[in-house]
């Protein structure tokens, strides 16, 4: 089958199957071969790899993945795309398509079964309405993937990469950087998609760590502190944490701990690095263990 990655071929397939785009599924199909090459290059896929693709659409990226990888497992929620995929991917023997909502699958279990020990890589042009939940689902559930290379909204890519002092820095930056090393591989304008999205896009690759870059005694506490700190971003850390219920002792003691850790009393969460959040989480954990209530 001729490659789909151009507007003419895409329109031909859509017409043949009288496909109607569903806004609720975030359907913006890629129509630019250069962008597809960028995704494949950034993902560093080899014939040894087992690739999970989320949302194959009409199979545009899937064709490129199938040529580069050992096997591709593609998960598509929209039932009306399944007969199209059977057609557009009929020339590839190393592709399996399943009609499921990726958020409802136990991906760690599925990949353990299907990949059979091969290195797993995730690649996708993600539906923008659930970008963050999909990425956090993959990272938090320790899906056995070495890397995650995805097209996302430009703004989300910037947030994943940001550090302290940037307006883009927030809970997503810290969560992503706890589990992986982000690298922005390409900026992609709206005219590379059909239909065109209203926002700019970017390809970002997350290299998943086998071990987080910081050690922390209580991971759950760290993330509830991060959520609290950025939930009330303009407040001082003592107020945002103190008001949140994340810290099980009085605000006054929290203020002392923040200063003992070397921060000014009025410091805000947005000034702290991941390592500093982890250090503070350990101090709070130890204080809580002393039995304050
Ligand atoms: N990969 C194709 C491409 O690049 O042309 C399509 C990308 S499009 C941005 C997102 C795709 O994800 C659509 O095919 C959409 O139907 C699918 N999708 C949306 N939500 C999904 C979900 N919860 N689980 C699986 N697939 C989903």
């Amino acid at each position: 089958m001729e490659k789909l990655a151009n507007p003419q071929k895409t329109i031909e397939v859509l017409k043949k199957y009288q496909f109607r785009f569903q806004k609720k599924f975030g359907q913006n199909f890629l129509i630019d071969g250069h962008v597809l090459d960028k995704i494949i290059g950034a993902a560093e896929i080899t014939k040894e790899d087992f690739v999970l693709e989320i949302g194959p659409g009409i199979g545009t990226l899937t064709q490129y993945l199938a040529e580069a990888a050992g096997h591709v497992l593609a998960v598509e929620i929209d039932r009306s795309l399944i007969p199209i995929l059977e057609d557009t991917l009929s020339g590839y023997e190393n592709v399996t398509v399943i009609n499921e909502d990726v958020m409802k699958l136990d991906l760690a279990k599925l990949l353990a079964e299907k990949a059979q020990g091969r290195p797993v890589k995730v690649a996708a042009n993600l539906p923008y309405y659930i970008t963050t939940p999909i990425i956090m689902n993959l990272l938090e559930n320790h899906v056995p993937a070495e890397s995650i290379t995805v097209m996302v909204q430009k703004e989300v890519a910037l947030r994943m990469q940001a550090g302290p002092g940037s307006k883009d820095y927030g809970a997503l930056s810290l969560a992503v950087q706890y589990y992986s090393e982000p690298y922005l591989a390409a900026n992609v304008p709206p005219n590379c998609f059909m239909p065109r999205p209203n926002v700019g896009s970017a390809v970002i690759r997350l290299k998943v760590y086998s071990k987080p870059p910081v050690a922390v005694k209580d991971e759950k506490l760290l993330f509830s502190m991060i959520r609290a700190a950025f939930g009330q971003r303009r407040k001082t850390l003592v107020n945002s944490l103190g008001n949140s219920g994340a810290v099980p002792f009085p605000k006054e003691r929290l203020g002392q701990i923040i200063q003992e850790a070397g921060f000014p009393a009025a410091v805000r969460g947005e000034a702290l690095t991941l390592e500093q959040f982890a250090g503070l989480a350990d101090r709070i954990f130890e204080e809580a263990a002393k039995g304050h209530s």
Side-chain angles (χ1 to χ4, degrees):
M1 147 79 74
E2 193 190 329
K3 284 272 179 57
L4 296 162
N6 64 71
Q8 298 75 17
K9 190 72 199 161
T10 300
I11 290 170
E12 189 188 311
V13 170
L14 298 178
K15 278 209 172 128
K16 179 173 169 193
Y17 288 90
Q18 298 183 333
F19 177 75
R20 283 169 179 274
F21 285 101
Q22 298 222 51
K23 228 180 172 178
K24 66 170 180 191
F25 289 145
Q27 293 174 335
N28 299 94
F29 298 162
L30 273 167
I31 51 169
D32 185 311
H34 298 296
V35 175
L36 288 147
D37 287 334
K38 282 258 170 71
I39 299 177
I40 301 295
E44 296 174 348
I45 293 166
T46 72
K47 281 283 165 198
E48 309 300 306
D49 294 329
F50 184 94
V51 173
L52 169 69
E53 185 191 7
I54 297 161
I58 59 170
T60 313
L61 172 60
T62 326
Q63 291 181 332
Y64 280 66
L65 293 170
E67 281 174 13
H71 195 92
V72 182
L73 173 66
V75 181
E76 174 55 61
I77 196 171
D78 184 349
R79 195 161 9 115
S80 70
L81 286 166
I82 304 302
I84 305 183
L85 289 163
E86 274 167 17
D87 180 3
T88 59
L89 301 174
S90 59
Y92 301 94
E93 284 177 359
N94 59 342
V95 179
T96 312
V97 176
I98 55 175
N99 180 208
E100 293 281 356
D101 176 348
V102 73
M103 294 305 290
K104 294 195 179 137
L105 290 175
D106 181 343
L107 288 174
K109 190 168 155 230
L110 183 72
L111 288 170
E113 271 167 32
K114 303 268 184 199
Q116 295 177 334
R118 283 173 283 188
V120 175
K121 289 177 180 156
V122 177
N125 169 18
L126 287 176
Y128 292 173
Y129 76 105
I130 44 167
T131 301
T132 304
I134 290 177
I135 290 177
M136 291 320 299
N137 186 10
L138 292 166
L139 293 173
E140 281 173 353
N141 294 320
H142 301 282
V143 168
E146 289 182 359
S147 66
I148 302 171
T149 306
V150 283
M151 179 84 71
V152 298
Q153 282 183 46
K154 172 94 188 282
E155 175 214 319
V156 176
L158 294 177
R159 278 163 49 206
M160 287 189 207
Q161 278 208 312
S166 153
K167 69 172 175 29
D168 297 315
Y169 187 54
L172 181 66
S173 324
L174 286 156
V176 163
Q177 292 166 30
Y178 181 76
Y179 293 107
S180 69
E181 188 190 348
Y183 162 72
L184 202 149
N187 286 316
V188 182
N191 62 6
C192 296
F193 303 85
M194 186 182 291
R196 292 180 186 201
N198 297 327
V199 291
S201 302
V203 178
I204 192 157
R205 183 192 65 214
L206 309 177
K207 271 218 166 133
V208 182
Y209 295 126
S210 46
K211 200 169 118 243
V214 297
V216 66
K217 294 198 166 83
D218 184 345
E219 211 172 85
K220 257 179 94 179
L221 173 65
L222 171 67
F223 283 107
S224 52
M225 283 169 56
I226 289 172
R227 269 193 302 276
F230 290 97
Q232 294 188 306
R233 188 182 181 107
R234 306 306 302 162
K235 293 222 158 110
T236 61
L237 196 56
V238 68
N239 279 326
S240 58
L241 293 190
N243 295 343
S244 71
V247 176
F249 46 80
K251 231 189 219 182
E252 293 65 40
R253 181 65 193 122
L254 174 63
Q256 289 166 352
I257 290 177
I258 288 174
Q259 290 185 65
E260 283 162 22
F263 300 109
V267 72
R268 290 188 185 137
E270 63 193 12
L272 268 62
T273 63
L274 174 61
E275 208 174 354
Q276 289 172 327
F277 264 111
L280 193 59
D282 280 354
R283 284 175 185 260
I284 290 174
F285 177 84
E286 274 154 23
E287 184 70 17
K290 287 185 195 159
H292 289 268
S293 61

